[in-house]
Amino acid sequence: MLMDKLREGAQGRGAKIVFWLIILSFSLAGVGSYLNRPADTSPAKVNDQPITAQEFDQAYQSERGRMQQQFGESFAELADNPEYVRQMRQAVLDRLINQLAVDQQAREAKIRIGDQQIKDTIRAMPEFQKDGQFNNELYLNLLSQARLDPNSFSESIRNQLLQQTWASSLTGTDFVLPSEVTLIDKLLQQTRDAQLYTVPVAHFQKTVSVTDAELETYYKANSNQFRSQEQVNVNFVELDAAALAANIKVEDRELRDYYEQHIDQYRTAERRQVAHILISDKDAAVAEKQAETVLTQLKGGADFAALAKEFSSDKLSARNGGELDWFERGVMDPEFEKAAFALSKPGELSAVVKSQFGLHIIKLVGVQPEHERPFDEVKADVLAKLKADKARDLFIDQQQKLSELAFENPDSLDVVSESMGLKLQQSGLMTTSTAKAPFDDAKLKQQAFAENLRDTNANSEVITVGEGKAYVLHILEHKPAMVRPLADVKADVEAAVKLQKAQVEAEKQAATLLSKLNNGEDVSALVKELDVKVESKTGISRTGATLVGTLLNELFRMPHPAADKPVRKLVAMPEGDQVILVLNKVTDTDQPSAAKSMLQTQLAQGRMIASQAALLQQARDAATIEYNPLFNSQPVSE
């Protein structure tokens, strides 16, 4: 009966309306979820071409790595500043935008960069060379540290070469006029004769008086100058991987097992040296005919080096008889490499080999077979690596134990110290500016001054520093920053007020002295009264060290003096002294300097750099750039 009534209710008009409202709500929810799917995550677009989130993240992580290498442990403190991170992210994005804008213009100009040019550029980079030769293992290790893979790195080199070629094609016609070089050379050789009247602020510091009211007023207006810094005293224990490694014993059997398990680390891949003759011509038939002719001559006993110098399009290797550097597999063009490694004995010739660069005839010069370094030769290296591996594992285990003990006994580090045999150390009262090792590390310093550790009176979590040290801290004492009482800093306040008043008086008296000099009056009495230092200097040059930078810059900004009418100028020095510069004479020379030829090169380089910067700006201005408004809220993997 009950079920029948329910069935009847479900067939009523009201139930149907409710039913369709439910269906509609689900439909709209579905549509809403579809419409509200994550939007385009690309941080920006340049002429509708996106810079992908992956590209940005890779560039950002590479920049972080570079900054960490540059600033070391202090980078952690910078990275904790949200505004610094925001600016760094924006700088990385702007660089990617610039690169893409230039890349687009270069590609529109039909500029192409070949794979061999990229390989040659990478192999020539000193970062990847060991003992003057390209080292593939070093190359891969450095890319790994920078979070790059070979393909993406090669593509970045391609883009750089593309942009450089494009920029060079447009700025290669820049030149510097001989008259410009002559004028600048003349200006650099120009010398000036001057007199200096230095009105010392120290003279007035001895004579100015200060009232208690002035002290009180200055103290209140500048109270932040007299704040004591926050201080803490910290207990800590240190876990050191190097100390653990020193106590690790390794059996000879373990060394041999490690050597056999990691034999690839002690194996040198097969390398070959070849000579080649490269035949290239726009007409493929002509090139092929010439290559076959040269090969026939070689088979008939002709000298390979002589034919390389005569016919090879690779002029660099041709000068050396066609010989190339030693190489292993995976470096050269695939077809070239296949043919080179198919040769079996020195002096053997290949058939004509076609690659993307043209037609090659290859002669095997030498073979360095795969070589395994014997155990006895690398035993010391194996021992160091095995001990490092064991120390790393032990360090991780001890670090876990340290974390557990510090958490289970939060009130002090006594139990931690006793249980793990770690020395309990104390920092003594320190400020953020006086902290010494190990608290000069940003992460440790931050935890030492962390408010939550003070409030809970608990041990810190384990703090790792570098790859081999870990610490736990416990704050013993805290002294907050506060404005020191006037009575404690009265001498400092008095000195500051005296200096301020002395600077005003020195400027006033220097102005009076300048007025008298301009009016041609005798100033000897005033000079003596004010302890003015008078100096005469001749032959002052722009590049000399005769004057401090502030005075030197001002002196060479002053106009040339007229006959018997020196030019004078009052200059306030940073420490409070007032200096009257008197320019008496300007001496020019028409004789070229020994550096004139170098100057022309420097000016040309400077102009080229300025032109390239202008081209970059032009490419950016011409592009339509769209920023993703969600860019700064998108997460970036750390």
Side-chain angles (χ1 to χ4, degrees), residues 230-410:
E230 179 183 20
Q231 293 178 293
V232 293
N233 184 15
V234 179
N235 260 359
F236 67 97
V237 291
E238 176 189 73
L239 182 65
D240 186 355
L244 296 175
N247 296 319
I248 290 174
K249 305 298 182 185
V250 180
E251 299 293 333
D252 193 66
R253 180 66 260 169
E254 291 180 279
L255 292 177
R256 290 189 176 276
D257 288 345
Y258 185 94
Y259 169 76
E260 291 171 4
Q261 292 165 9
H262 299 83
I263 192 66
D264 285 347
Q265 296 180 17
Y266 306 103
R267 179 183 291 130
T268 303
E270 179 186 351
R271 301 174 72 211
R272 295 199 165 204
Q273 186 181 28
V274 301
H276 81 134
I277 298 173
L278 173 64
I279 307 296
S280 59
D281 195 286
K282 293 181 180 179
D283 189 326
V286 171
E288 188 170 350
K289 183 177 180 181
Q290 186 180 35
E292 292 293 348
T293 300
V294 171
L295 181 58
T296 300
Q297 289 179 277
L298 290 170
K299 289 180 177 178
D303 182 63
F304 193 98
L307 293 182
K309 291 176 182 178
E310 182 178 356
F311 294 107
S312 183
S313 298
D314 182 358
K315 299 303 180 186
L316 187 62
S317 68
R319 291 199 294 266
N320 196 33
E323 286 190 7
L324 300 174
D325 291 335
W326 290 89
F327 62 92
E328 64 275 2
R329 293 183 187 273
V331 175
M332 307 297 279
D333 176 272
E335 294 302 318
F336 184 97
E337 184 177 285
K338 181 179 178 182
F341 276 86
L343 301 173
S344 58
K345 57 185 179 180
E348 186 178 354
L349 296 171
S350 72
V352 175
V353 179
K354 185 177 181 181
S355 80
Q356 61 178 311
F357 306 105
L359 302 175
H360 306 263
I361 300 167
I362 305 170
K363 182 182 78 169
L364 182 60
V365 176
V367 177
Q368 291 179 350
E370 182 180 87
H371 171 65
E372 288 182 6
R373 297 171 67 190
F375 172 76
D376 290 339
E377 182 182 319
V378 297
K379 184 176 180 179
D381 181 66
V382 173
L383 176 61
K385 288 182 177 178
L386 183 53
K387 289 185 74 170
D389 286 353
K390 283 177 170 286
R392 191 180 305 112
D393 293 340
L394 181 58
F395 181 74
I396 292 171
D397 291 341
Q398 291 291 91
Q399 193 174 342
Q400 180 63 33
K401 183 179 178 182
L402 176 62
S403 177
E404 291 170 357
L405 284 171
F407 178 77
E408 292 166 358
N409 304 275

Side-chain angles (χ1 to χ4, degrees), residues 116-130 132-135 139 153 157 161 316 325 331:
Q116 189 61 42
Q117 187 177 354
I118 296 169
K119 287 182 180 179
D120 291 344
T121 300
I122 293 174
R123 290 174 65 83
M125 293 173 71
E127 297 90 338
F128 306 137
Q129 292 188 354
K130 190 173 182 179
Q133 297 289 328
F134 175 77
N135 185 286
Y139 166 67
F153 182 71
I157 295 296
L161 293 174
L316 187 62
D325 291 335
V331 175

Side-chain angles (χ1 to χ4, degrees), residues 31-45:
V31 171
S33 65
Y34 179 80
L35 293 176
N36 291 323
R37 286 187 305 176
D40 181 10
T41 59
S42 57
K45 293 181 180 179

Side-chain angles (χ1 to χ4, degrees), residues 77 223-233 429-435 445 449 454 477-485 489:
E77 192 170 349
S223 58
N224 282 335
Q225 293 181 18
F226 307 105
R227 291 179 67 87
S228 64
Q229 286 187 286
E230 179 183 20
Q231 293 178 293
V232 293
N233 184 15
L429 280 172
M430 61 180 176
T431 67
T432 55
S433 58
T434 63
K445 187 186 296 184
F449 288 86
R454 297 198 301 270
E477 184 181 0
H478 173 251
K479 291 186 177 182
M482 61 179 66
V483 177
R484 297 161 66 192
V489 295

